[in-house]
Amino acid sequence: MNTMAIENEPCALRAWAEGRMIYLELTDGRIVGFPADRFRILSAAPEEKLKEVSVELNGYALRWEELDEDLTVEGVVAGRFQLPLPEQAA
């Protein structure tokens, strides 16, 4: 196993939701946010359920137990979302 690749992957210290945005504080000091509506299960969830996010697997994954949803921190930071951005009104 290549431990160098693992050391360079983004890792979350904590995660929280504000409104329909999910935020991650990463070990390198960055704070990354993404709209919950970019993922199928999260887009259908009420805001109260979005707040039940936990950091798992030593900071490499996000988990919503009651929604049965898991996301990798690496995928979120890389912008690998399931759903496109909604159309913006002109």
Side-chain angles (χ1 to χ4, degrees), residues 3-72:
T3 57
M4 187 62 134
I6 290 174
E7 290 173 6
N8 291 329
E9 287 181 20
C11 188
L13 294 172
R14 65 185 183 114
W16 68 97
E18 291 181 18
R20 300 212 50 85
M21 289 289 294
I22 311 300
Y23 296 95
L24 311 173
E25 180 180 358
L26 304 177
T27 54
D28 64 8
R30 289 182 291 166
I31 294 178
V32 177
F34 66 93
D37 294 340
R38 298 297 303 272
F39 292 93
R40 285 180 195 91
I41 291 174
L42 299 182
S43 69
E47 287 182 26
E48 310 84 62
K49 296 298 177 192
L50 295 177
K51 292 179 180 181
E52 297 175 4
V53 61
S54 61
V55 175
E56 303 289 332
L57 298 174
N58 296 319
Y60 291 100
L62 304 178
R63 173 81 179 151
W64 286 264
E65 188 67 36
E66 203 168 311
L67 299 174
D68 194 25
E69 177 71 315
D70 298 284
L71 302 177
T72 65

